[in-house]
Amino acid sequence: MSSKSSILQTVALAASLCVGTAAVAQESSMARVERTKTLRVGVISGATPYFHKDLVSQKWEGFGPDFATSLAQKLGAKVELVETTWGNSVMDLQTNKIDVMFGMGPTPARREMVDFSEMLFNNTLTAVCKKGYGPVKTWEQLNDPKVKIVVDVGSNQDQFATKTLPKANIARLESSGAASMAVQTGRADCQILMVLLAQPLLAKRPDVGAMFVPEPVATSSTHIGLPKSSNKDFEKAVNTWLLDVRAKGEVQSVIVKNMEKLAGVKPESFPKQVKF
């Protein structure tokens, strides 16, 4: 074989590999799931009741794994769980490491980077206040420079407090746990916290204080994060599944079941104002 022919064959092979790589890179989420019969789902350690990993069996439980199983069945696929963090989940969607991330809030910044499903459920905002503080009947009661509020920085709770309680003395701590400790030790009056986090906290540590659902009732919608794409086939498929399970009441049943099993929160303990 002449060196010229060899060079031409090498160039042709390289070109074909580039074309193949480009085709894979351009493959839509729907096409990839259909081809591999696998749905890759992000899971987070220590995020009970959204995600919980049993240390003995290594089995994952919680809202996310349950919703993932249901969605995968609808798509004719199996579930592959990929461990991530709330902070890394957006990048994992962007870099095609996962197909869906359950439990994400669609902030304007996140919408620039990833797509979102229709609403999965509504999460009600609460005030968890130190012992002896309250009752807190309205948000305006907390909108006072004398009131010490704590939130975990960058969270939905942080965004809500910043917008709703501009006059309050707000401290932004590194984690939800640190904020709860500030309330428990009396260094803060109240922590703004989603009900699905507040109730497990008080079920485990009732000495923290008491939970209130101030008026007007405020909610934050929870969605499913998806890779950003101009091809909406996968988003449509996810929304079709979501419409069906919401209509059947399965979303609420999954939430209530996991809250009781993993967090010790009885169904009857939810305040009447809370609607998922």
Side-chain angles (χ1 to χ4, degrees), residues 22-264:
V24 171
Q26 294 172 4
E27 184 179 38
S28 70
S29 295
M30 193 73 248
R32 197 208 63 78
V33 171
E34 290 177 337
R35 176 176 60 82
T36 64
K37 303 298 181 185
T38 301
L39 180 71
R40 299 168 304 174
V41 181
V43 290
I44 299 172
S45 180
T48 305
Y50 289 87
F51 307 97
H52 174 80
K53 188 176 185 179
D54 186 280
L55 297 179
V56 177
S57 68
Q58 298 295 296
K59 178 183 177 182
W60 283 93
E61 298 176 289
F63 306 161
D66 282 357
F67 289 138
T69 298
S70 177
L71 175 58
Q73 288 175 347
K74 178 72 173 181
L75 299 175
K78 64 181 181 180
V79 175
E80 178 183 332
L81 300 178
V82 180
E83 194 157 352
T84 184
T85 65
W86 290 121
N88 291 337
S89 58
V90 169
M91 184 174 291
D92 288 346
L93 287 168
Q94 286 183 302
T95 56
N96 198 33
K97 289 183 179 179
I98 58 176
D99 302 305
V100 295
M101 186 69 210
F102 290 94
M104 292 184 74
T107 64
R110 284 175 176 168
R111 284 192 180 277
E112 292 292 321
M113 297 180 282
V114 299
D115 288 335
F116 285 93
S117 71
E118 297 293 334
M119 184 185 74
L120 179 60
F121 60 83
N122 255 330
N123 208 345
T124 303
L125 285 139
T126 74
V128 175
C129 301
K130 65 183 180 182
K131 284 189 174 182
Y133 192 96
V136 179
K137 296 183 179 180
T138 68
W139 288 111
E140 192 56 32
Q141 284 180 247
L142 302 180
N143 192 27
D144 187 309
K146 297 177 182 178
V147 180
K148 297 178 181 178
I149 298 292
V150 283
V151 293
D152 46 324
V153 65
S155 65
N156 289 344
Q157 290 97 197
D158 185 356
Q159 294 180 44
F160 174 79
T162 300
K163 180 180 178 180
T164 309
L165 309 172
K167 298 177 184 178
N169 181 359
I170 303 175
R172 295 169 177 84
L173 305 184
E174 71 276 10
S175 69
S176 177
S180 300
M181 183 60 68
V183 172
Q184 185 176 8
T185 56
R187 290 181 288 113
D189 297 317
C190 300
Q191 176 184 8
I192 308 305
L193 200 57
M194 297 295 181
V195 70
L196 293 181
L197 297 175
Q199 289 204 267
L201 167 66
L202 294 175
K204 185 177 181 180
R205 295 161 54 191
D207 55 329
V208 170
M211 183 188 78
F212 302 98
V213 182
E215 298 285 346
V217 175
T219 60
S220 177
S221 60
T222 297
H223 298 243
I224 306 167
L226 310 168
K228 201 164 192 63
S229 175
S230 58
N231 185 321
K232 298 301 180 183
D233 289 349
F234 187 58
E235 184 177 327
K236 289 177 182 176
V238 171
N239 283 332
T240 297
W241 163 81
L242 185 50
L243 183 65
D244 182 53
V245 294
R246 283 189 62 84
K248 293 177 179 177
E250 291 179 14
V251 170
Q252 177 147 336
S253 66
V254 165
I255 291 172
V256 170
K257 178 192 75 174
N258 281 287
M259 287 290 282
E260 182 169 17
K261 179 180 179 181
L262 301 179

Side-chain angles (χ1 to χ4, degrees), residues 3-20:
S3 60
K4 183 177 180 180
S5 297
S6 177
I7 291 172
L8 288 174
Q9 284 191 0
T10 301
V11 171
L13 177 60
S16 67
L17 288 174
C18 288
V19 170

